[in-house]
């Protein structure tokens, strides 16, 4: 077996171990729904297997459907999340057995992996990791203890940093045309001219965000976009999701309560909160272009890199892949700095940008419209960089995520910017 096939097989095995760990609960916990925003965990589990069957067995290898009658149950477009618990879903044991059967057939077919179907493999691996991150968000919404524990011993040294970093004006190459793992929405590579700007060297911390809270930021319409203010007034919200105050600020995280650590990147804020904080601070959210230029552009080589630190993934340069179950302290992972000197762009928290999710010039949907294209428009904001919960296979300088500006259950924070 050549190196690529070995790597793909290892990635498939690794992500499946994750998925099993995240569903190591009693059946009643897997079939019940903790929030209308999320699927029952047993839906995610069978869905990743059904997606693997569709794209690898049927599409990549022309193998006849194993269980065509269940396709409709696991089609995310036919059944919105809120309606999924009422479906006649495969019970947990059957779901596990179905996805095992699919996987064994995929491993048997792996010999037929080649340049023509490689992306489908990269897509299926990333897809399961993306659902694992979604399952982690489901666990965070539960009040019970999670079936996994905090790994010990990370991260390392905190290296001091200037609060903001200058990125000079000029063109850079955004997106990619040749990354074998890139989704359709990351393509094609194109030159964009970005005027000079200053951007926070690290994401906004809990401590900085607390200052906004204590300054009455949640009650001051001056800082909020009109729709953001309407959102804020429609509910009793005065802090990030999962925070509550008992003398000091506390947060619930995977069923346990702890003091909010001031130096960690803030997470579980929606776009409207991020936008309001930025205005209160006399700043703004970065555009998606600004985020990517800060992360990828190397002025010395005049090229855009796959990661802030270079072209290959290197563990230890980012808080990625659940090496810990929360963002790291500001100033950690200094080895992950970009050529411009901006830090913690990859990992820690997804970062809200000011940009609506749209296709790049020359966009072509592949391999299906419902991955990206149907979400293009004004409704969704782009998030960049991945979080502590994102796997390395689904994180790179070109990767684009998107969500509604009201969403708070995802592992999202932000950094701010300003014009020169
Ligand atoms: C890219 C995270 C917005 O979860 O809705 C999963 C990823 N697409 N299955 C989502 C996805 C199909 C997607 N996000
Ligand atoms: Fe999916």
């Amino acid at each position: 077996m050549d190196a690529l096939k070995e790597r793909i097989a290892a990635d498939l095995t690794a992500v499946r171990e994750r998925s099993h760990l995240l569903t190591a609960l009693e059946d009643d916990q897997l079939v019940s729904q903790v929030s209308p925003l999320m699927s029952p965990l047993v839906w995610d589990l069978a869905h990743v297997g059904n997606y693997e069957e569709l794209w690898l067995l049927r599409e990549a290898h022309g193998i006849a459907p194993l269980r065509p009658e269940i396709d409709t149950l696991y089609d995310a477009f036919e059944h919105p999340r809120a309606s999924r618990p009422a479906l006649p879903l495969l019970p947990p044991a059957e779901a596990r057995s179905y996805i095992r059967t699919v996987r064994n057939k995929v491993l048997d077919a792996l010999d037929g992996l080649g340049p023509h179907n490689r992306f489908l493999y990269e897509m299926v691996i990333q897809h399961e990791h993306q659902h694992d991150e979604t399952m982690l968000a489901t666990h965070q919404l539960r009040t019970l203890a999670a079936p996994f524990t905090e790994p010990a011993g990370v991260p390392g040294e905190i290296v001091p940093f200037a609060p903001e970093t200058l990125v000079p004006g000029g063109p850079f190459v955004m997106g990619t045309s040749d990354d074998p793992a890139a989704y359709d929405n990351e393509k094609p590579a194109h030159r964009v001219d970005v005027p000079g700007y200053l951007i926070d060297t690290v994401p906004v911390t809990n401590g900085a965000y607390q200052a906004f809270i204590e300054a009455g930021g949640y009650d001051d319409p001056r800082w909020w976009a009109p729709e953001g203010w309407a959102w804020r007034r429609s509910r009793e919200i005065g802090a990030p999701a999962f925070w509550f105050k008992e003398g000091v600020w506390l947060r619930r995280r995977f069923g346990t309560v702890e003091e909010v650590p001031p130096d960690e990147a803030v997470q579980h804020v929606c776009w409207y909160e991020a936008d309001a904080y930025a205005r209160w601070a006399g700043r703004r959210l970065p555009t998606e272009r600004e985020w990517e230029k800060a992360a990828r552009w190397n002025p010395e080589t005049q090229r855009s890199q796959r990661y802030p630190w270079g072209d290959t993934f290197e563990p230890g340069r980012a808080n990625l892949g659940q090496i810990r179950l929360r963002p790291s302290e500001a100033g950690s992972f200094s080895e992950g700095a970009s050529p411009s000197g901006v830090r913690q762009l990859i990992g820690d928290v997804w970062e809200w940008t000011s940009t609506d999710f749209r296709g790049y010039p020359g966009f072509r949907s592949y391999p299906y419209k419902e991955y990206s294209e149907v979400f293009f428009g004004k409704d969704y904001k782009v998030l960049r960089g991945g979080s502590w919960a994102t796997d390395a296979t689904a994180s790179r300088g070109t990767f684009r995520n998107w969500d509604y500006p009201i969403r708070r259950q995802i592992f999202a924070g932000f950094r701010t910017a300003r014009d020169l």
Side-chain angles (χ1 to χ4, degrees):
M1 209 158 60
D2 64 29
L4 175 64
K5 287 176 191 163
E6 250 171 72
R7 200 221 87 214
I8 297 261
D11 282 354
L12 285 166
T13 303
V15 69
R16 185 53 50 84
E17 276 173 25
R18 264 274 130 199
S19 303
H20 284 313
L21 182 67
L22 291 165
T23 51
L25 291 172
E26 297 300 329
D27 285 10
D28 63 321
Q29 295 290 307
L30 295 175
V31 302
S32 65
Q33 189 175 41
V34 296
S35 153
L37 296 178
M38 310 309 279
S39 313
L41 292 167
V42 76
W43 186 92
D44 289 279
L45 189 63
H47 165 78
V48 298
N50 184 242
Y51 191 92
E52 183 167 326
E53 191 200 338
L54 289 175
W55 291 108
L56 294 184
L57 295 184
R58 297 187 212 172
E59 182 71 20
H61 296 294
I63 294 171
L66 298 176
R67 300 199 55 174
E69 78 284 2
I70 67 170
D71 289 353
T72 160
L73 296 174
Y74 299 105
D75 182 328
F77 284 85
E78 277 187 55
H79 307 287
R81 285 179 177 177
S83 73
R84 291 176 191 165
L87 298 172
L89 300 175
L90 299 183
E94 246 188 275
R96 290 190 182 106
S97 135
Y98 166 62
I99 70 171
R100 186 179 324 115
T101 305
V102 171
R103 174 57 58 84
N104 288 339
K105 289 187 186 294
V106 166
L107 294 175
D108 287 345
L110 193 57
D111 241 359
L113 163 68
H116 59 293
N117 59 21
R118 172 174 174 188
F119 173 71
L120 298 178
Y121 277 89
E122 306 284 6
M123 179 179 88
V124 162
I125 293 163
Q126 294 180 75
H127 177 258
E128 187 162 341
H129 274 301
Q130 287 172 289
H131 276 274
D132 285 358
E133 179 160 354
T134 300
M135 288 198 272
L136 273 164
T138 305
H139 282 286
Q140 172 59 25
L141 285 162
R142 295 168 79 237
T143 42
L144 302 167
F148 44 80
T149 50
E150 184 93 38
V154 270
E157 201 192 345
I158 290 166
V159 177
F161 53 91
E164 56 181 356
T165 299
L166 170 79
V167 181
F172 91 105
V173 179
M174 185 172 193
T176 174
S177 295
D178 54 18
D179 190 313
Y183 278 109
D184 55 4
N185 65 56
E186 297 165 68
K187 300 176 167 188
H190 55 290
R191 273 182 107 70
V192 291
D193 199 15
V194 186
Y197 58 100
L198 289 145
I199 188 163
D200 291 342
T201 307
V202 299
V204 171
T205 63
N206 289 324
Y209 197 83
Q210 263 177 50
F212 167 68
I213 300 173
E214 319 289 311
Y218 275 90
D219 297 315
D220 193 334
R222 276 183 299 167
W223 313 131
W224 297 77
E227 323 78 67
W229 185 240
W231 170 82
R232 160 61 195 87
R233 297 211 8 174
S234 70
R235 61 207 79 204
E236 272 311 308
I237 282 178
F242 309 112
W243 284 33
F244 56 100
K245 200 168 184 177
E246 276 176 15
V248 292
W249 280 108
L250 302 173
R251 69 176 178 189
R252 179 165 63 76
R253 195 169 58 85
F254 299 117
T256 60
V257 169
E258 61 196 11
E259 251 185 73
V260 170
D263 294 336
E264 266 179 41
V266 67
Q267 61 175 353
H268 300 304
V269 288
C270 73
W271 187 90
Y272 292 130
E273 291 167 292
D275 175 65
Y277 172 96
R279 292 178 205 223
W280 167 77
R283 302 170 68 82
R284 58 175 174 79
L285 292 179
T287 64
E288 181 181 19
R289 297 170 162 198
E290 288 171 335
W291 190 96
E292 187 167 326
K293 189 178 182 188
R296 298 183 62 214
W297 184 241
N298 187 330
E300 218 162 282
T301 61
Q302 293 284 299
R303 292 182 52 248
S304 288
Q305 306 178 160
R306 195 171 198 247
Y307 300 99
W309 55 84
D311 284 324
T312 50
F313 180 71
E314 293 171 52
R317 294 196 191 246
N319 178 18
L320 203 63
Q322 301 147 55
I323 53 173
R324 68 191 314 214
L325 302 182
R326 53 201 164 105
S328 55
E329 292 78 8
S332 330
F333 295 98
S334 61
E335 309 261 283
S338 75
S340 314
V342 184
R343 304 242 206 120
Q344 292 173 282
L345 288 149
I346 296 289
D348 289 308
V349 284
W350 286 104
E351 299 181 23
W352 289 110
T353 72
S354 61
T355 304
D356 296 339
F357 185 49
R358 290 181 200 276
Y360 292 154
F363 168 85
R364 290 177 51 190
S365 76
Y366 181 79
Y368 64 111
K369 271 204 172 80
E370 291 78 13
Y371 182 76
S372 313
E373 192 174 2
V374 299
F375 300 101
F376 290 163
K378 294 193 310 297
D379 293 347
Y380 294 88
K381 298 294 183 189
V382 173
L383 298 122
R384 289 302 206 101
S387 75
W388 58 265
T390 310
D391 190 76
T393 56
S395 173
R396 51 193 166 265
T398 56
F399 191 98
R400 309 173 75 199
N401 194 3
W402 63 93
D403 216 326
Y404 289 122
I406 60 170
R407 287 290 179 254
R408 316 170 88 208
Q409 84 279 7
I410 54 175
F411 304 107
F414 62 102
R415 72 181 74 216
T416 69
R418 66 183 169 105
D419 296 345
L420 266 189

